[in-house]
Amino acid sequence: MSVNVDSRVVAPGSDDYVERAWRLKERIRREEDVLKQRRDFFTDAYRRSTVHCYLRDDDLVGFAAVRRDGYILFLAVDPDYRDEGIGKRLVARVAEDHRSVTCHARTSNENALQFYEHLGFEIKRRIENYYEDGGDAYYLKLGSDAGIADRISDLMRR
């Protein structure tokens, strides 16, 4: 990774970094028209999740909020830090802790779909009207052909 970042893990029930995560999510929503969740939904889901955070000089540059079953509720990387391996590292970190890694992505979110496909996620099904605004989603799962150690090593090589 070409940027020097620190990682933190926020345990379920904690508000650590929730305001910074909300601001990052909202910036991405305004610029890319994705991550459209309401604040109360977002903060509740954040507090119920394990959240992996990456910080640079105390600025939140990426985070993944994950349920205990390996489902990624939110994955966000500051647009200024994309292509630096942060998203890949976040997914690899989730894969270290879980036997299965899954998520949803808007069918219209080409950036997210390309990112997940590059990492080895497979589209399992399309869900119509999944999002509150009526948007459709794909349910994605990290390929299970390889063991977890192999998947993590493969993620980090990509």
Side-chain angles (χ1 to χ4, degrees), residues 7-153:
S7 64
R8 303 277 190 283
V9 177
V10 178
S14 174
D15 283 343
D16 291 353
Y17 304 108
V18 69
E19 285 303 316
R20 292 185 225 182
W22 172 257
R23 286 192 303 269
L24 175 56
K25 182 206 82 70
E26 283 296 282
R27 176 182 169 206
I28 293 168
R29 181 192 56 78
R30 285 189 306 274
E31 293 177 8
E32 301 173 19
D33 201 33
V34 295
L35 299 176
K36 298 179 182 184
Q37 298 82 7
R38 291 172 288 113
R39 187 179 188 113
D40 59 339
F41 176 86
F42 176 84
T43 54
D44 183 54
Y46 184 100
R47 289 177 182 133
R48 288 184 287 114
S49 304
T50 297
V51 184
H52 301 278
C53 299
Y54 280 88
L55 297 105
R56 180 162 189 241
D57 299 327
D58 210 37
D59 290 328
L60 184 68
V61 297
F63 70 94
V66 186
R67 291 189 324 211
R68 65 177 170 236
D69 63 355
Y71 177 82
I72 300 172
L73 289 159
F74 303 105
L75 178 70
V77 176
D78 185 317
D80 296 336
Y81 292 90
R82 292 192 182 154
D83 298 322
E84 300 290 341
I86 293 170
K88 189 183 327 184
R89 285 184 159 221
L90 286 165
V91 172
R93 183 67 181 94
V94 173
E96 284 177 358
D97 293 344
H98 301 281
R99 296 172 59 98
S100 174
V101 179
T102 58
C103 66
H104 284 92
R106 280 185 185 271
T107 57
S108 60
N109 189 344
E110 288 298 321
N111 288 338
L113 293 170
Q114 288 175 6
F115 169 78
Y116 286 123
E117 180 183 3
H118 176 74
L119 294 182
F121 280 79
E122 301 165 356
I123 295 174
K124 294 299 182 180
R125 67 183 171 273
R126 181 184 179 118
I127 304 166
E128 305 225 352
N129 298 309
Y130 177 79
Y131 294 103
E132 207 171 49
D133 65 358
D136 297 344
Y138 288 122
Y139 177 73
L140 305 159
K141 183 175 183 179
L142 185 59
S144 56
D145 296 344
I148 192 113
D150 294 335
R151 285 190 286 157
I152 293 166
S153 294

